[in-house]
């Protein structure tokens, strides 16, 4: 029996690295797909697994307990979910104000998912070298919203190298997840952070202002300055898997902090009178965009808005 870290997953095969640096291609036992697992993939990048080794194949027989993980909607039309990565020290959400646009709804859903699974998040605004004046205004507005909540924000360029050293200092010695929409420059950014990887990058579709998928599965890469970086497929959306409605406000830090002033202890912050959260939205202490996202997640209707 050997133990190792899953550094690559293609859905049917898993690449596992042991402590002594050996690399093994492994399969899993079929029962892992059935027993109490609600996701489409029972094992993800970042998992610590145990496997049996023989001449013909390596079979994973045990998944060690995870300290955290993050999930997204499955790519098919079912209501199942997919684990993106596990045992994450830091997540870096790559955002672009333009080329393509990352919506605040997407940002907020990612942040809520990360809060639900105790994953610290930094927001990285990429492609700032391309921004026009109106883009820079929107960038500052977004930074003001998220920094006021307590999220750290970075402005970077994977083309000019702006603040890449700052990101590397944040990543050193940690398991780092990079995530975001297709086209926001994740692969280009990783290539700059860790030269020599030569990850495939894609162009932006002019007709749809969105990126073409260049990463189809999660993969972990070792950093030469210590630590790991996880590249993920471009993500279109996050559901509210395993999030109870009555706990949703816990995953919006500013709403959670304000909620103790509400008249009712079981306030949903949607319809109740004398709700401190709604009052904070009216006074501008909580951003309307954030409350819109909360409202939409509570109702699971992305088009339903508070305004």
């Amino acid at each position: 029996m050997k133990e190792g870290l899953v550094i690559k997953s293609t859905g049917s095969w898993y690449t596992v690295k042991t402590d002594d640096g050996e690399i093994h291609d492994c399969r899993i036992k079929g029962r892992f797909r059935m027993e109490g697992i609600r996701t489409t993939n029972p094992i993800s990048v970042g998992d610590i697994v145990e496997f049996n080794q023989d001449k013909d194949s390596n079979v994973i027989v045990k998944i060690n307990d995870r300290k955290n993980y993050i999930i997204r909607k499955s790519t098919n039309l079912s209501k199942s979910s997919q684990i993106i990565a596990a045992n994450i020290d830091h997540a870096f959400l790559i955002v672009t104000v333009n080329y393509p646009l990352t919506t605040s709804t997407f940002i907020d859903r990612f942040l809520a998912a990360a809060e639900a699974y105790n994953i610290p998040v930094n927001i990285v605004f990429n492609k700032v070298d391309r921004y026009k004046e109106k883009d820079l205004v929107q960038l500052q507005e977004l930074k003001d919203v998220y920094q006021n909540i307590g999220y750290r924000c970075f402005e970077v360029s994977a083309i000019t190298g702006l603040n890449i050293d700052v990101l590397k200092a944040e990543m050193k010695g940690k398991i780092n997840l990079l995530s975001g929409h297709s086209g926001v420059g994740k692969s280009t950014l990783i290539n700059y952070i860790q030269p020599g990887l030569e990850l495939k990058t894609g162009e932006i579709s002019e007709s749809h202002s969105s990126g073409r998928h260049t990463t189809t599965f999660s993969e972990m890469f070792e950093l030469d300055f210590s630590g790991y970086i996880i590249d993920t497929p471009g993500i279109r959306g996050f559901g509210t898997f395993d999030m109870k409605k009555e706990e949703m406000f816990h995953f919006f830090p500013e709403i959670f902090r304000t909620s103790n002033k509400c008249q009712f202890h079981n306030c949903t912050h949607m319809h109740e009178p004398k709700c401190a959260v709604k009052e904070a939205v009216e006074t501008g202490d909580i951003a309307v965009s954030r409350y819109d996202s909360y409202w939409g997640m509570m109702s699971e209707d992305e088009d339903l808005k508070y305004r």
Side-chain angles (χ1 to χ4, degrees):
M1 187 84 70
K2 289 194 172 186
E3 183 177 275
L5 172 69
V6 178
I7 61 173
K8 184 176 179 180
S9 165
T10 62
S12 56
W13 284 94
Y14 302 88
T15 304
V16 179
K17 181 180 179 181
T18 58
D19 287 341
D20 56 11
E22 291 183 353
I23 302 297
H24 302 272
D25 289 327
C26 301
R27 290 184 179 273
I28 61 174
K29 284 189 174 180
R31 64 184 181 87
F32 277 166
R33 301 184 183 277
M34 301 295 295
E35 292 182 358
I37 296 174
R38 298 174 58 190
T39 58
T40 58
N41 59 324
I43 297 175
S44 73
V45 165
D47 273 328
I48 304 296
V49 299
E50 295 181 12
F51 62 96
N52 285 325
Q53 188 176 21
D54 58 40
K55 294 180 180 179
D56 299 322
S57 64
N58 300 310
V59 180
I60 296 172
V61 296
K62 181 182 179 182
I63 310 169
N64 290 0
D65 291 341
R66 299 168 173 135
K67 72 174 183 179
N68 60 35
Y69 57 92
I70 195 163
I71 60 178
R72 68 168 180 176
K73 292 179 182 178
S74 181
T75 52
N76 58 35
L77 297 178
S78 71
K79 293 185 178 180
S80 60
S81 58
Q82 180 185 30
I83 304 172
I84 301 170
N87 300 317
I88 303 158
D89 294 321
H90 260 162
F92 293 82
L93 178 60
I94 313 303
V95 171
T96 42
V97 171
N98 206 344
Y99 320 111
L101 167 69
T102 303
T103 66
S104 58
T105 299
F106 175 83
I107 296 172
D108 293 337
R109 282 180 170 256
F110 182 94
L111 295 177
E115 291 282 350
Y117 299 108
N118 298 311
I119 301 170
V121 181
N122 294 318
I123 303 175
V124 179
F125 292 92
N126 194 19
K127 302 188 182 182
V128 296
D129 57 290
R130 298 189 61 181
Y131 291 171
K132 299 177 176 63
E133 185 175 351
K134 63 181 179 63
D135 298 323
L136 293 172
V137 171
Q138 186 178 358
L139 167 64
Q140 190 58 52
E141 290 174 352
L142 286 170
K143 284 180 62 180
D144 288 344
V145 167
Y146 293 107
Q147 286 177 333
N148 286 339
I149 296 168
Y151 292 105
R152 299 183 67 191
C153 297
F154 301 93
E155 296 179 27
V156 307
S157 169
I159 302 301
T160 67
L162 176 68
N163 288 329
I164 300 299
D165 286 346
V166 177
L167 286 189
K168 291 173 71 172
E170 292 293 318
M171 295 178 177
K172 186 175 181 179
K174 301 181 178 71
I175 292 180
N176 306 282
L177 173 78
L178 264 67
S179 193
H181 282 316
S182 292
V184 296
K186 294 188 306 297
S187 297
T188 304
L189 197 57
I190 293 173
N191 285 337
Y192 202 113
I193 290 169
Q194 183 56 58
L197 291 178
E198 298 181 357
L199 301 186
K200 184 180 178 182
T201 60
E203 298 296 327
I204 299 296
S205 166
E206 295 296 334
S207 59
H208 298 93
S209 296
S210 61
R212 300 185 184 130
H213 293 272
T214 55
T215 304
T216 57
F217 48 82
S218 295
E219 186 167 2
M220 178 182 287
F221 303 99
E222 192 165 4
L223 299 170
D224 59 16
F225 53 90
S226 82
Y228 288 90
I229 197 166
I230 300 172
D231 187 20
T232 63
I235 296 171
R236 298 192 183 279
F238 283 82
T240 54
F241 299 103
D242 298 328
M243 297 183 189
K244 297 178 181 178
K245 296 290 186 182
E246 62 271 21
E247 296 177 352
M248 192 72 70
F249 72 99
H250 293 190
F251 312 134
F252 288 74
E254 74 278 35
I255 294 178
F256 181 70
R257 288 193 294 264
T258 307
S259 64
N260 61 5
K261 301 176 184 177
C262 291
Q263 181 179 17
F264 302 105
H265 76 278
N266 59 347
C267 185
T268 66
H269 319 299
M270 296 179 73
H271 309 292
E272 296 85 351
K274 295 185 179 180
C275 170
V277 170
K278 291 193 293 182
E279 291 175 3
V281 175
E282 295 293 343
T283 61
D285 291 327
I286 291 177
V288 172
S289 63
R290 290 280 289 172
Y291 189 66
D292 279 350
S293 294
Y294 171 74
W295 185 280
M297 291 178 72
M298 285 291 286
S299 60
E300 273 301 336
D301 184 349
E302 301 247 3
D303 295 323
L304 184 60
K305 300 292 185 184
Y306 165 67
R307 289 171 289 191

